[in-house]
């Protein structure tokens, strides 16, 4: 088969654009294209145009590739070879899966499977390692060659380098999560600051009144009225301060007004959607193990999602800092007692030292460089307000597990 | 003219204001209480010696605005700021605006009394200096224009010959003017004359 022959055979996407060039009388050189091809005018005589078409094929802005039935490269254009970083000749005969990164090999098999399963065209984003060891993200769009009889089905693939695209998407996600973080910090900071202000007012009154009373007592001056007034007002200010604290606790505990009956599995799935991208960016596998037919719970779903999100984020952060090894976050939801559901978040990170264990839930205690140290303490307040418990099992060097319980209200989703 | 020192306390937090009042009053000080800045401004007699204690955060006019208003009206009242929680930016602004002290609630009675004592001492000195200054200005105004020229050159540490050269007059005439300046300013020495020049701003203090 000559170059023209297999070019025609190569078919759909690549050949379609060539066919368009042949039939359209309009000039084809668009301002955005770097190369100008002198084709498409008048009645082309194919044989004499072949070098042009070969040139077009080789230097197309996307990679073209023909894989045989065993998944080995039969033909690849120059752009495609450049994406992998090897010479075209050298690539021929090598299995394409060799360049797919380990984490995506299964996805590539699914890609091939979809084709042999009868799908006409399939597309996946896969990560590949090139010769320089750099990971590139390739969008692979493949079609099965239908008119090839001998030697099983071959597939034609277009490779598009989407690394830049994915990088900007990643950057966007990063910015979004930073924004959320800043917003959370702001809320927490504002809360802490206004709490400090609210508490320092009455405390200032308590201190001044007590000191005045002490001084009056020591001086022996008979100012009984002042003495009694000082103590009365100190007591009033102190109970005002305790009202402030009670009010804050009430605010966090939400009085149960926003509690609704819901399925815990739905909340877990919501949260897993939120952290999926973050986990994938950090090469962390996210695993969900949700027991079937879990009984329903009555909770403030936003708060419980907040707790789960907080625990999952902590796990991801813990593994991001420690390198190597298979990283995995597992969220389990299961029935513990007939009336109780347990949810646990386990990571395969470095775990936490025993020295941190006692203070994990202490407000403003943190092991993170930029942490506020309030995530876990607020999470515990929320869970306890729901009548549950939150604790940590720390297996040093072998990850950490945070578990919380929630009372179920009986009955299972129908 | 009133001579008793009065402490003006401005805070919208009434229980705290009462505690502040008690702490100061039972140690023998006189306190005027105000729950807002405008009440205080309406009531203020600029000639009354004393100091001001004001909350930083208040509804309506806040502490910094009050400080600014006083400055605009050229009322120099030593001011102590108090606040419910540390606000670094505002504290810096307050201190730059001439605040004597910055107290963060809750503070001890001792810290309060120390600050108040410092503020009252500062007010005494400020008022004494202001009186001196007024007298010196008055004496300055009695000098003839030529005498004023000689005055400013004398306090610039210039010898008579140089002053004569600059004013294009004879050294004898300079001596004559100089004697008049000393007499009218009631200065016993050139050093005293220079101190007066500093006080009324004829000579800038260079450190």
């Amino acid at each position: 088969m000559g170059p023209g022959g297999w070019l025609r055979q190569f078919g759909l996407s690549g050949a379609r654009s060539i066919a368009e060039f042949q039939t359209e009388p309009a000039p084809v050189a668009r301002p955005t294209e770097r190369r100008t091809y002198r084709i498409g005018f008048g009645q082309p005589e194919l044989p004499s145009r072949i070098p042009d078409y070969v040139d077009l094929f080789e230097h197309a802005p996307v990679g073209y590739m023909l894989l045989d039935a065993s998944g080995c490269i039969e033909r690849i254009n120059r752009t495609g070879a450049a994406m992998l970083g090897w010479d075209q000749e050298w690539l021929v005969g090598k299995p394409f899966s060799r360049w797919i990164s380990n984490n995506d090999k299964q996805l590539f098999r699914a890609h091939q499977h979809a084709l042999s399963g009868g799908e006409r065209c399939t597309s996946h984003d896969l990560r590949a390692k090139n010769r320089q060891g750099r990971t590139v993200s390739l969008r692979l769009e493949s079609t099965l060659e239908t008119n090839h009889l001998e030697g099983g089905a071959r597939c034609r693939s277009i490779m598009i380098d989407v690394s830049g695209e994915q990088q900007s998407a990643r950057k966007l996600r990063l910015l979004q999560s930073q924004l959320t973080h800043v917003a959370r910090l702001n809320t927490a900071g504002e809360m802490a600051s206004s709490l400090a202000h609210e508490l320092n007012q009455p405390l200032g009154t308590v201190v001044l009144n007590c000191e005045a009373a002490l001084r009056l007592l020591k001086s022996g001056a008979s100012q009984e009225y002042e003495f009694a007034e000082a103590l009365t007002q100190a007591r009033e200010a102190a109970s005002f301060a305790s009202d402030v604290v009670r009010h804050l606790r009430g605010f966090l505990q939400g009085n149960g007004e926003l509690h609704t009956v819901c399925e815990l599995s739905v909340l877990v799935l919501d949260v897993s959607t939120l952290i999926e991208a973050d986990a994938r960016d950090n090469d962390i596998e996210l695993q969900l193990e949700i027991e079937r037919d879990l009984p329903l719970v009555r909770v403030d779903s936003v708060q419980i999602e907040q707790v789960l999100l907080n625990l999952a984020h902590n796990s991801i952060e813990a593994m991001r800092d420690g390198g190597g090894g298979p990283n995995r976050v597992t969220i389990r939801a299961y029935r513990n007692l007939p009336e109780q559901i347990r949810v646990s978040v386990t990571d395969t990170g470095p775990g936490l030292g025993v020295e941190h264990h006692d203070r994990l839930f202490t407000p403003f205690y943190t092991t993170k460089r930029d942490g506020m140290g309030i995530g876990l303490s607020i999470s515990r307040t929320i869970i306890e307000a729901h009548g549950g418990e939150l604790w940590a099992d720390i297996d040093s060097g072998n990850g950490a597990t945070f578990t919380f319980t929630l009372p179920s209200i009986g009955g299972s989703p129908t | 003219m009133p001579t008793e020192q009065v402490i003006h306390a401005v805070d919208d937090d009434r229980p705290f204001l009462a505690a502040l009042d008690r702490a100061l009053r039972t140690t023998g000080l006189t306190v005027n209480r105000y729950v807002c800045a405008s009440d205080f401004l309406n009531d203020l007699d600029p000639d009354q010696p004393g100091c001001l204690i004001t909350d930083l955060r208040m509804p309506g006019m806040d502490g910094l605005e009050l400080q600014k208003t006083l400055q605009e009206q050229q009322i120099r009242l030593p001011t102590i700021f108090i606040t419910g929680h540390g606000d670094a930016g505002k504290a810096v602004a307050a201190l730059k605006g001439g605040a004597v002290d910055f107290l963060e609630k809750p503070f001890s009675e001792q810290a309060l009394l120390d600050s108040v004592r410092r503020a009252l001492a500062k007010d005494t000195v400020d008022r004494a200096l202001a009186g001196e200054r007024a007298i010196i200005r008055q004496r300055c105004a009695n000098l003839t224009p030529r005498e004023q020229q000689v005055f400013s050159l004398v306090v610039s540490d210039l010898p008579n010959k140089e002053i004569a050269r600059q004013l294009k007059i004879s050294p004898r005439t300079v001596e004559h003017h100089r004697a008049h300046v000393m007499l009218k300013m009631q200065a016993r020495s050139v050093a005293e004359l220079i101190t007066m020049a500093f006080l009324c701003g004829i000579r800038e203090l260079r450190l």
Side-chain angles (χ1 to χ4, degrees):
Chain A
M1 197 192 306
W6 65 255
L7 229 180
R8 266 198 305 280
Q9 268 206 347
F10 194 81
L12 294 181
S13 303
R16 187 174 58 216
S17 55
I18 293 167
E20 281 163 9
F21 290 144
Q22 286 174 333
T23 50
E24 273 175 23
V28 293
R30 297 187 186 119
T32 50
E33 276 175 326
R34 269 173 295 168
R35 295 176 70 92
T36 309
Y37 299 99
R38 293 187 302 109
I39 53 171
F41 287 96
Q43 291 296 317
E45 277 180 35
L46 204 52
S48 69
R49 296 291 186 201
I50 283 172
D52 286 338
Y53 296 148
V54 170
D55 207 24
L56 179 61
F57 168 76
E58 292 290 3
H59 294 97
V62 295
Y64 290 123
M65 179 173 68
L66 186 63
L67 296 180
D68 66 18
S70 60
C72 291
I73 299 172
E74 215 176 292
R75 189 113 204 155
I76 185 164
N77 74 343
R78 199 176 286 190
T79 313
M83 284 176 188
L84 301 179
W86 295 92
D87 290 338
Q88 284 167 284
E89 293 76 25
W90 191 85
L91 284 169
V92 172
K94 308 283 190 304
F96 181 66
S97 62
R98 183 168 164 173
W99 286 277
I100 301 293
S101 79
N102 288 337
N103 291 321
D104 283 355
K105 284 212 156 68
Q106 207 173 344
L107 194 60
F108 180 59
R109 276 195 290 278
H111 184 81
Q112 286 176 307
H113 199 72
L115 283 181
S116 52
E119 269 183 52
R120 214 176 69 83
C121 182
T122 181
S123 167
H124 284 99
D125 286 358
L126 300 163
R127 280 168 297 180
K129 274 232 157 37
N130 69 7
R131 189 181 185 177
Q132 290 77 31
R134 206 169 62 86
T135 303
V136 286
S137 294
L138 299 179
R139 178 161 303 148
L140 205 63
E141 288 181 19
S142 304
T143 49
L144 204 64
E145 192 176 90
T146 45
N147 57 353
H148 196 83
L149 295 173
E150 67 258 45
R154 303 196 299 182
C155 99
R156 289 181 285 252
S157 301
I158 305 173
M159 293 189 283
I160 303 167
D161 190 341
V162 291
S163 304
E165 196 179 302
Q166 290 199 341
Q167 213 166 351
S168 34
R170 209 174 1 251
K171 212 175 267 176
L172 186 68
R173 273 203 302 274
L174 189 72
L175 283 175
Q176 275 169 340
S177 78
Q178 279 172 349
L179 198 65
T180 322
H181 186 65
V182 167
R184 250 169 49 188
L185 275 187
N186 273 345
T187 320
E190 275 164 23
M191 208 156 87
S193 151
S194 83
L195 180 67
H197 191 252
E198 292 279 312
L199 282 180
N200 282 338
Q201 299 278 8
L203 288 181
T205 309
V206 171
V207 170
L208 277 188
N209 276 315
C210 288
E211 286 186 340
L214 265 179
R215 182 165 41 76
L216 289 171
L217 189 66
K218 279 181 191 158
S219 74
S222 57
Q223 286 182 293
E224 273 169 37
Y225 172 76
E226 288 289 353
F227 184 72
E229 273 298 289
L231 288 183
T232 310
Q233 292 188 6
R235 189 190 57 198
E236 277 168 13
S239 52
F240 179 76
S242 80
D243 282 349
V244 169
V245 175
R246 196 170 310 127
H247 179 76
L248 179 85
R249 286 183 67 86
F251 172 73
L252 278 181
Q253 294 174 354
N255 303 329
E257 279 166 24
L258 298 165
H259 288 203
T260 50
V261 174
C262 56
E263 285 178 49
L264 204 61
S265 57
V266 175
L267 303 186
V268 175
L269 286 174
D270 275 355
V271 169
S272 76
T273 324
L274 286 172
I275 57 168
E276 213 162 32
D278 198 11
R280 193 176 143 100
D281 285 349
N282 290 294
D283 260 323
I284 292 167
E285 192 193 329
L286 183 62
Q287 197 172 327
L288 302 180
E289 294 175 13
I290 304 171
E291 197 179 291
R292 280 163 182 270
D293 300 327
L294 278 178
L296 296 166
V297 287
R298 181 190 291 279
V299 294
D300 180 333
S301 54
V302 175
Q303 286 192 342
I304 297 300
E305 284 186 1
Q306 201 70 45
V307 171
L308 259 173
L309 202 58
N310 185 35
L311 296 179
H313 265 305
N314 282 350
S315 295
I316 291 173
E317 263 174 46
M319 286 186 286
R320 184 161 53 205
D321 298 339
N327 288 330
R328 191 168 55 241
V329 175
T330 311
I331 304 179
R332 289 189 189 88
Y334 54 99
R335 199 188 307 229
N336 180 43
L337 300 168
E339 304 275 276
Q340 192 185 65
I341 297 180
R342 266 192 189 188
V343 181
S344 70
V345 179
T346 305
D347 63 56
T348 55
L352 282 154
V354 187
E355 69 273 19
H356 301 302
H357 192 220
D358 297 338
R359 301 175 61 190
L360 272 180
F361 296 95
T362 311
F364 303 110
Y365 177 76
T366 183
T367 58
K368 295 184 215 163
R369 197 154 30 86
D370 52 356
M372 274 284 286
I374 53 174
L376 283 176
S377 92
I378 287 182
S379 295
R380 179 173 265 184
T381 306
I382 290 173
I383 294 299
E384 285 175 356
H386 281 83
E389 279 179 280
L390 169 63
W391 69 92
D393 293 311
I394 291 161
D395 194 354
S396 204
N398 211 353
T401 299
F402 286 85
T403 310
F404 64 84
T405 58
L406 286 173
S408 62
I409 53 168
S412 61
T414 45
Chain B
M1 201 186 257
T3 52
E4 193 201 7
Q5 289 190 311
V6 169
I7 299 151
H8 309 276
V10 186
D11 197 327
D12 60 308
D13 178 3
R14 284 169 201 269
F16 184 78
L17 192 60
L20 200 63
D21 174 53
R22 177 170 306 106
L24 297 170
R25 194 162 34 78
T26 54
T27 44
L29 296 159
T30 310
V31 186
N32 282 348
R33 293 194 258 173
Y34 307 95
V35 290
C36 72
S38 52
D39 282 1
F40 160 66
L41 285 173
N42 288 337
D43 205 32
L44 179 66
D45 172 9
D47 291 330
Q48 172 86 56
C51 72
L52 168 66
I53 304 176
T54 177
D55 195 4
L56 203 55
R57 287 191 189 187
M58 288 182 290
M61 186 187 281
D62 72 15
L64 287 182
E65 285 164 357
L66 174 59
Q67 185 184 35
K68 219 176 133 214
T69 309
L70 288 175
Q71 276 167 358
E72 280 164 7
Q73 297 181 6
Q74 302 203 324
I75 298 170
R76 291 164 177 267
L77 203 55
T79 306
I80 299 162
F81 283 95
I82 46 180
T83 180
H85 74 126
D87 188 331
K90 283 193 173 174
V92 169
L95 291 172
K96 273 189 177 166
V100 178
D101 231 327
F102 196 89
L103 295 174
E104 195 179 333
K105 286 184 200 173
F107 48 80
S108 72
E109 195 178 78
Q110 198 52 51
L112 172 71
L113 292 175
D114 286 348
S115 287
V116 167
R117 227 159 261 148
R118 253 197 314 278
L120 292 179
K122 185 174 187 299
D123 188 56
T124 306
V125 174
D126 282 354
R127 281 177 199 276
L129 284 179
E132 285 277 300
R133 207 171 280 132
I135 292 167
I136 293 165
R137 287 233 173 86
Q138 189 55 47
R139 288 176 192 162
C140 249
N142 287 332
L143 299 177
T144 64
R146 192 50 117 186
E147 281 165 356
Q148 281 181 6
Q149 281 177 322
V150 172
F151 179 26
S152 69
L153 291 170
V154 166
V155 299
S156 304
D157 280 340
L158 293 180
N160 283 356
K161 271 187 183 173
E162 177 60 21
I163 298 172
R165 201 188 57 78
Q166 282 197 16
L167 298 178
K168 296 189 178 73
I169 52 176
S170 76
R172 270 192 76 88
T173 319
V174 172
E175 260 175 52
H176 181 74
H177 286 311
R178 189 170 170 154
H180 272 268
V181 169
M182 297 290 277
L183 196 69
K184 283 186 178 172
M185 295 301 292
Q186 299 177 27
R188 279 161 296 182
S189 65
V190 176
E192 208 174 320
L193 200 64
I194 291 175
T195 312
M196 291 177 184
F198 278 134
L199 268 176
C200 63
I202 287 173
R203 195 176 140 174
E204 296 267 309
L205 189 61
R206 287 194 197 91
L207 295 172

